[in-house]
Amino acid sequence: MPNAHDYAKAHADDFKAQLIDLLKIPSISTLSTHAKDVERAAAWIIDDMTRIGMTRAEIFQKADFLPLVYGEWLGAGEDAPTVLVYCHFDVQPAEISDGWDTDPFMPTEKDGKIYARGAVDSKSHVVAHLKAIESLLANGGAPCNIKLLFEGEEESGSEHIFEFVAENQALLKADAIVVSDGSMPAVDQPTLVYGLRGIVTMQLTVQGPARDLHSGHYGGNVHNPIQALVEILATLHDENGTVTVDGFYDDVLELTQEERQTLTPIAPFMEQEWWDVTGAKMAWGESEFLLHERTGVRPTMEFNGIAGGFYGDGFKTVLPAKATAKVSCRLVPNQDPQQIYKVIREHIQRVAPQTVTVTLDELEMGARGVLLDRDSAPMKAAYDAYLRGWGVVPIFSREGGSIPVAEAFQRELNTPMVLLPFGYKGGGAHGPNEHVYVEMFNKGVQTAIHFYEVLPTL
Amino acid sequence: MPNAHDYAKAHADDFKAQLIDLLKIPSISTLSTHAKDVERAAAWIIDDMTRIGMTRAEIFQKADFLPLVYGEWLGAGEDAPTVLVYCHFDVQPAEISDGWDTDPFMPTEKDGKIYARGAVDSKSHVVAHLKAIESLLANGGAPCNIKLLFEGEEESGSEHIFEFVAENQALLKADAIVVSDGSMPAVDQPTLVYGLRGIVTMQLTVQGPARDLHSGHYGGNVHNPIQALVEILATLHDENGTVTVDGFYDDVLELTQEERQTLTPIAPFMEQEWWDVTGAKMAWGESEFLLHERTGVRPTMEFNGIAGGFYGDGFKTVLPAKATAKVSCRLVPNQDPQQIYKVIREHIQRVAPQTVTVTLDELEMGARGVLLDRDSAPMKAAYDAYLRGWGVVPIFSREGGSIPVAEAFQRELNTPMVLLPFGYKGGGAHGPNEHVYVEMFNKGVQTAIHFYEVLPTL
C-alpha cells in the first residue's frame, strides 16, 4: 500500500504541526498542579483518534489517578492479526531555569530539531503511531487490527497501569505488542532491544548499641555498626565484581556464542556512551564479559545508598547506634526476584556477627527481567520496518534498565512483544533542551506504517 | 593545719551558697548569645579570688574569644612547691524542655543534690578549689604556692587555651599540675586516672564516576564507590577487632602484669557502666584484652560516619558519584598521630582499586595520648588527699577519651600532672538533670585542702 507512505510524506508538515500542538500541553504527571493538563493531553489524543477514523476512543480514569487512553480500530477483520501499541503522553517537569535555551512548553524548531519537553520522551512516539494509522486509514485501511494503550502516568511511577492490564486481558488481547518508548543509540542506528533487566530492592540495617555512644569510651569494646555493615557488604562481591552469594547465578541463562555475536554490533555504541556519560577512570566488572554484556546479560548487586553516624562537615566522635545500606539487584530473565532476595537473606544471616542485630527488608515487590523472542513475528516485522523506514540494518541489544510496563505485559498477556523506539539517546529525555529530530519523527511514522503493513505478511 | 579543714566545715553552707550563686550564671560557651554570661562568670571568679586573698586575679581575653581567668598566690615562698590548677567554668547549653525536672539555671537542692547545668561539669570543681584556698589563706596561708587557670571555652572546643599555654610557659611554671575535671566511677570511689587516649581524625573519600548514574545502565560496568569504600574499610580490622594496618601497633607500650593488676579494681565499675549505658547485645573487641583494657590501654580505629548515594525513605536506583567515611583512631601514649595517619594512608593506597579515586584527608591536627607517672609527687599527694578527703582507698584507671588541655600541658609544660575530679559519672554532665552531691562537693573542698597540704611534704 504505497499510498499510506506517500500520504504521510505529503502531510509531513501537518503531522509536525500536530506534534507541536501536543507538545504545548504541559502534561506533567509528577506535579498534581498539572493534572488538568494531563487530562487535556488525553482529550487531544481522543479527538485525534476519532478524527482519523478509529472506531473506539475511550478514557479510563478512576478518581485518584491520571487518564489512560484506549483506542481501537478492528477493521482488518477477525482473520487479520491484532497489534497492541503502548506509548505514554505524560512528561517530566521542566522549567526554563533548569538550563533550557527555550521555553520547554513553547516548542521551538531549530536546525531540524524540535525542542520541547516530551519531544523524545515520548509524545513523538504517540503522534508517530497516530499519524501512521491516519495514513493507513485514509488510504483504504490497515491490514491489521490496532489497539492503542497510551498511558498518562508513566513518569510518575505507572501506579495504575499494572492493575489495568491485569483486569483487562480480554480488551488487550492481541497477536503482537509494540512498546514505543526508549531510544536508539544513535540517530541512524535503529536497534532492537530484546532484553531488559528486572530488579529487587532491599535495605540492610545493622543495629548496634541502643543509642549513639562516645567513641572514646566505647570504641574497642562495642561493635561499631558501621564496621559490621561494611564487613557484611564486603562479603557480597569478589574482587572480579562477581556476586558471591550462593545460588545467585543458579537461574542465569548462559550467554551462547550465537547471542554473543548477535550483540557484538552494539558494543561500540555502548562503549562510546560509557565514555561520554560516566566520567569514570576505567571500566570495571566481570572480566569474562564485555562492557555491554555486563549490564545486558549479567545480573548485578548494587549498593545504592549507605548511611550511618555523623557525615556532615567536620567531625563527631560518635559510635553510632545503627547503620543502613540500600541494596538492589538487577536481574536477568529467568531469575526470580523472591528467590534472589531469599539467597541474599541466607547469606546475610550466615555472615552477620552475633554482636549486632542485622535485618534485611525487601523494599518493593521485585520485577522479573524481560527477554523477547528474536524469532517472533513482531520482532521480524520490526526488523523489516526499521530497515525500510530508516534505510539501515537494525542491530540487536539487551539493556540494563527496566521498562516496568513491558514486564507487566509479559506477565499478564503472554503475547509476542517488540520494543520500537523512534528517538535517540542524545535527545535529552528528562533533561534540559530535550528535542526530537523532525527527520526521526518522519522516519518513525514511515516505520510504524511499515510495521502495520509487514506484520500480517509474516 | 587542721584549722583550714575546720574552717571549711564551719563554712559549708556559705560555700554551697556561693556554688549556687555561680551556677545561676548561664555561662554557655557554645552559644554566642551567652558570651556576656561567660564574662559574668569570669568576673564572679575574679571577685572571689580577690576576696579570699589571692594576690593576682586577671582575665586574659582577646577580641574573638571568651575569657580565661588566671589567679595566683605565691605566699609560700620560693622554696615551697608551686601547684597549677586547671578547671573550666563554662557550660553546655540546657533548656528545661530537654527533659529537666527543674530550670537548669535555677539551682535546686533536693535529696542532698544540687540540680543545675554545670553542677558536676565543672563549676563544683572551680568553687571547691577556691574554697579550699580560702580555707587555707584564712588560717595562716597555704604551704605551697598556687596558680589557678580557669577556662571559659572548654565546652566550645578550647580553641585558645593551647596557644595561651604555649605562649605563657613562664607564667604557668609549676612543680605540679592538677586538672580537676571529669568524674569518678561511683560516689564513694575516688579514682586516679593516669592515662588518656589521643586521637587522629580523617576522612576517606572514594570518587567513582563524575556524576550520579542510573544503576540499571551502569551497574556492573562502573565501579560503585560505595562498594569500593566498604571493601577498603573492611580491610582495616580482622575478625578479632584488631587493626590490620602495618605499623599501627609499633609504638604501643606492652601492658605489663603489674599494670594489668593495678587496673583490675576498675574492671567491675567499667563493666557495670558498659551494661548500663550501651544497650549492646554483648561486648566486642580484642579477645586477649579485658573490657576496660580495650578502651584504656589499646588503640582503636572507629568508623564514625559513612554516607553515599540515596539514604532517605524509599529507594533510588542510583549509582553514586562518591562515598565518604569519617574515620578516627584513639591512640595510646607513645603513639604519634602523624605516624598513624601515615601508615593508614599507606595501607589505603595499597588496597585502593585503580578504578576509582581514593583520598584520605586528615581532618584536624591529632593529639597524643597522655600517660601520667603513678610515682610522681602530685600523684602520691592526690592518692593521700583522696584517702583522707573521701575515707576510701583510691583506685587507678586509664580512660578511653581525651582531655585536650591535659595533652597541651604535657606537650608544653613538662610538669608532673594529676587528674583530681570530685564529681561522679552519674552526675549527668551534658544531659538533663545534671547534679552534684553536696557531700561530694564538701569532700572535694577537703580533698583539695589535703592536696595543697600534702604536696610540700613529699
Side-chain angles (χ1 to χ4, degrees):
Chain A
M1 292 189 200
N3 284 347
H5 294 282
D6 292 343
Y7 176 94
K9 281 172 190 156
H11 289 78
D13 283 348
D14 188 31
F15 290 178
K16 184 176 74 179
Q18 290 176 52
L19 170 60
I20 288 171
D21 204 30
L22 182 58
L23 287 170
K24 287 179 183 167
I25 304 175
S27 50
I28 304 165
S29 62
T30 60
L31 300 173
S32 58
T33 49
H34 285 273
K36 288 286 169 205
D37 292 318
V38 181
E39 290 178 14
R40 275 174 60 212
W44 187 99
I45 292 167
I46 290 283
D47 283 352
D48 199 59
M49 284 177 169
T50 309
R51 195 179 60 74
I52 67 177
M54 299 198 73
T55 47
R56 186 170 171 186
E58 196 171 334
I59 288 177
F60 287 85
Q61 185 173 17
K62 289 184 187 170
D64 62 336
F65 73 99
L66 296 167
L68 193 64
V69 178
Y70 176 78
E72 73 181 25
W73 181 86
L74 305 180
E78 283 183 18
D79 294 338
T82 300
V83 183
L84 172 66
V85 177
Y86 166 91
C87 303
H88 71 88
F89 59 90
D90 62 320
V91 299
Q92 285 277 322
E95 298 196 32
I96 199 157
S97 59
D98 298 338
W100 287 73
D101 294 329
T102 54
D103 186 323
F105 296 104
M106 290 283 283
T108 306
E109 192 172 351
K110 192 182 165 198
D111 299 334
K113 293 174 259 187
I114 298 167
Y115 289 87
R117 171 57 84 228
V120 72
D121 184 19
S122 201
K123 286 175 177 170
S124 54
H125 292 105
V126 169
V127 179
H129 276 286
L130 288 172
K131 298 305 106 185
I133 295 164
E134 174 180 337
S135 302
L136 286 161
L137 299 192
N139 290 279
C144 56
N145 302 303
I146 300 169
K147 296 178 174 182
L148 300 177
L149 185 64
F150 292 165
E151 186 185 7
E153 47 182 26
E154 198 270 350
E155 300 293 358
S156 59
S158 292
E159 259 189 87
H160 301 92
I161 198 171
F162 307 118
E163 181 187 322
F164 180 83
V165 172
E167 289 175 358
N168 291 279
Q169 300 194 5
L171 180 74
L172 302 176
K173 190 171 176 352
D175 302 290
I177 298 175
V178 173
V179 172
S180 273
D181 193 15
S183 51
M184 53 188 73
V187 170
D188 55 359
Q189 187 52 69
T191 301
L192 290 161
V193 174
Y194 68 94
L196 298 165
R197 291 199 290 189
I199 193 167
V200 58
T201 61
M202 53 204 99
Q203 176 159 316
L204 180 60
T205 303
V206 177
Q207 173 78 44
R211 56 193 61 82
D212 286 0
L213 299 174
H214 188 293
S215 70
H217 299 154
Y218 300 101
N221 63 41
V222 169
H223 202 171
N224 182 322
I226 297 176
Q227 187 178 336
L229 178 66
V230 302
E231 291 175 356
I232 291 168
L233 292 175
T235 69
L236 291 164
H237 299 83
D238 68 15
E239 62 286 359
N240 190 39
T242 305
V243 176
T244 51
V245 172
D246 273 355
F248 187 79
Y249 294 99
D250 280 1
D251 298 322
V252 175
L253 302 173
E254 280 282 319
L255 181 63
T256 63
Q257 203 52 35
E258 180 273 328
E259 189 173 359
R260 180 163 255 180
Q261 283 172 1
T262 297
L263 289 169
T264 299
I266 196 69
F269 293 103
M270 291 284 208
E271 281 168 24
Q272 188 57 50
E273 189 193 334
W274 194 97
W275 288 110
D276 290 346
V277 172
T278 70
K281 282 167 77 180
M282 61 183 78
W284 174 89
E286 293 180 289
S287 56
E288 62 274 37
F289 293 91
L290 298 172
L291 191 85
H292 64 284
E293 295 170 345
R294 293 176 198 170
T295 39
V297 305
R298 294 292 290 175
T300 64
M301 181 192 293
E302 292 300 319
F303 304 146
N304 305 93
I306 192 165
F310 175 78
Y311 40 77
D313 283 341
F315 207 90
K316 281 190 188 168
T317 51
V318 63
L319 191 163
K322 78 175 185 175
T324 60
K326 311 267 187 184
V327 178
S328 65
C329 295
R330 294 284 170 172
L331 307 179
V332 290
N334 207 42
Q335 284 187 300
D336 173 20
Q338 293 309 306
Q339 176 65 15
I340 293 303
Y341 170 62
K342 178 170 166 282
V343 296
I344 293 170
R345 200 182 53 207
E346 286 166 359
H347 176 100
I348 301 285
Q349 284 168 344
R350 200 171 59 249
V351 301
Q354 295 299 305
T355 40
V356 290
T357 303
V358 179
T359 47
L360 184 74
D361 296 308
E362 196 176 357
L363 286 183
E364 292 170 21
M365 288 301 295
R368 284 177 166 267
V370 170
L371 190 62
L372 304 176
D373 179 4
R374 279 175 284 147
D375 293 322
S376 73
M379 188 70 75
K380 286 179 176 163
Y383 186 96
D384 201 55
Y386 269 146
L387 184 60
R388 294 169 190 235
W390 244 263
V392 176
V393 176
I395 60 175
F396 286 88
S397 182
R398 287 175 65 168
E399 295 209 335
S402 308
I403 299 181
V405 76
E407 197 258 343
F409 288 148
Q410 171 184 264
R411 191 174 60 236
E412 304 290 350
L413 300 180
N414 192 30
T415 303
M417 181 160 45
V418 69
L419 306 181
L420 196 75
F422 307 135
Y424 82 117
K425 281 197 198 297
H430 294 209
N433 298 324
E434 179 179 350
H435 61 273
V436 63
Y437 274 93
V438 176
E439 186 58 24
M440 291 185 83
F441 168 67
N442 292 339
K443 285 180 180 171
V445 176
Q446 294 291 336
T447 300
I449 298 171
H450 283 301
F451 183 88
Y452 295 123
E453 289 174 340
V454 171
L455 184 74
T457 69
L458 297 172
Chain B
M1 289 189 195
N3 283 349
H5 293 284
D6 291 346
Y7 176 94
K9 281 173 190 154
H11 290 77
D13 282 351
D14 189 30
F15 290 177
K16 184 177 76 183
Q18 291 175 51
L19 171 60
I20 287 170
D21 206 30
L22 182 58
L23 288 170
K24 286 178 183 166
I25 304 173
S27 51
I28 303 165
S29 62
T30 58
L31 301 174
S32 58
T33 49
H34 285 273
K36 288 286 168 203
D37 293 317
V38 180
E39 290 179 13
R40 274 172 62 211
W44 187 99
I45 292 166
I46 292 283
D47 283 351
D48 199 58
M49 285 176 169
T50 309
R51 196 180 58 75
I52 67 177
M54 299 196 75
T55 48
R56 187 173 170 186
E58 198 170 332
I59 288 177
F60 287 86
Q61 186 173 17
K62 288 184 188 168
D64 62 335
F65 72 100
L66 294 167
L68 194 62
V69 178
Y70 175 77
E72 71 181 25
W73 181 86
L74 306 179
E78 283 185 13
D79 295 338
T82 298
V83 182
L84 172 66
V85 177
Y86 166 89
C87 304
H88 71 88
F89 59 89
D90 62 319
V91 300
Q92 285 277 322
E95 298 197 34
I96 199 155
S97 59
D98 297 338
W100 288 73
D101 294 330
T102 55
D103 187 323
F105 295 106
M106 289 284 282
T108 306
E109 193 173 351
K110 192 184 164 196
D111 302 334
K113 293 174 258 188
I114 298 166
Y115 289 86
R117 170 57 82 227
V120 72
D121 184 21
S122 197
K123 286 175 176 171
S124 54
H125 292 104
V126 169
V127 179
H129 276 285
L130 288 172
K131 297 307 106 185
I133 295 164
E134 173 180 336
S135 302
L136 287 161
L137 299 192
N139 290 278
C144 58
N145 301 303
I146 299 169
K147 296 179 174 182
L148 301 177
L149 184 64
F150 292 164
E151 186 186 7
E153 46 182 28
E154 198 270 348
E155 300 293 359
S156 58
S158 293
E159 259 190 87
H160 300 92
I161 197 169
F162 307 119
E163 180 187 324
F164 180 84
V165 172
E167 290 176 356
N168 291 278
Q169 300 194 4
L171 180 74
L172 301 177
K173 189 172 177 348
D175 302 291
I177 297 174
V178 173
V179 173
S180 274
D181 193 14
S183 51
M184 50 188 73
V187 170
D188 55 359
Q189 188 52 69
T191 300
L192 290 160
V193 173
Y194 68 95
L196 298 165
R197 292 200 288 189
I199 192 167
V200 57
T201 60
M202 53 204 98
Q203 178 160 316
L204 180 61
T205 303
V206 177
Q207 174 79 44
R211 55 194 62 84
D212 287 0
L213 298 174
H214 188 294
S215 71
H217 299 154
Y218 299 102
N221 63 38
V222 169
H223 202 170
N224 182 321
I226 299 176
Q227 186 179 338
L229 178 66
V230 302
E231 290 175 357
I232 291 168
L233 293 175
T235 68
L236 291 164
H237 298 84
D238 69 13
E239 62 287 356
N240 190 39
T242 305
V243 176
T244 50
V245 173
D246 273 355
F248 187 80
Y249 294 100
D250 279 1
D251 298 322
V252 175
L253 303 172
E254 280 282 317
L255 180 64
T256 64
Q257 203 51 36
E258 181 275 327
E259 190 173 359
R260 180 163 255 182
Q261 282 171 3
T262 297
L263 289 170
T264 299
I266 197 70
F269 293 102
M270 291 283 208
E271 281 168 25
Q272 187 58 50
E273 189 192 333
W274 193 96
W275 288 110
D276 289 348
V277 173
T278 68
K281 281 167 78 181
M282 62 183 78
W284 173 89
E286 292 180 290
S287 56
E288 61 276 35
F289 293 92
L290 298 171
L291 190 84
H292 64 285
E293 295 170 348
R294 291 177 199 170
T295 38
V297 305
R298 294 292 289 175
T300 64
M301 180 192 293
E302 293 300 320
F303 305 146
N304 305 95
I306 193 165
F310 175 80
Y311 38 76
D313 284 340
F315 207 90
K316 283 190 186 166
T317 51
V318 62
L319 192 164
K322 77 175 183 172
T324 61
K326 310 269 187 181
V327 179
S328 64
C329 295
R330 294 284 172 172
L331 307 178
V332 291
N334 208 42
Q335 284 187 299
D336 173 21
Q338 292 310 306
Q339 177 64 16
I340 293 302
Y341 170 62
K342 179 170 166 282
V343 295
I344 294 170
R345 201 183 51 208
E346 286 167 0
H347 175 101
I348 300 285
Q349 283 168 344
R350 203 171 56 250
V351 301
Q354 296 300 305
T355 38
V356 291
T357 303
V358 179
T359 48
L360 184 73
D361 296 309
E362 197 177 355
L363 287 183
E364 292 169 22
M365 288 300 295
R368 284 176 165 269
V370 170
L371 190 63
L372 305 176
D373 178 5
R374 277 174 286 146
D375 295 322
S376 73
M379 190 69 78
K380 286 178 176 165
Y383 186 94
D384 201 54
Y386 268 146
L387 185 59
R388 292 168 192 237
W390 243 264
V392 175
V393 176
I395 61 176
F396 287 88
S397 183
R398 285 176 67 169
E399 294 208 335
S402 310
I403 299 183
V405 75
E407 197 259 343
F409 288 149
Q410 169 185 265
R411 190 174 63 235
E412 304 290 350
L413 302 180
N414 191 29
T415 303
M417 180 160 44
V418 68
L419 306 181
L420 197 74
F422 307 136
Y424 82 117
K425 280 196 198 297
H430 295 208
N433 298 324
E434 178 179 352
H435 61 273
V436 62
Y437 275 94
V438 177
E439 186 57 24
M440 293 185 82
F441 170 66
N442 292 337
K443 284 179 181 170
V445 176
Q446 294 291 333
T447 299
I449 298 171
H450 282 301
F451 183 88
Y452 293 123
E453 289 174 340
V454 170
L455 183 72
T457 70
L458 296 173

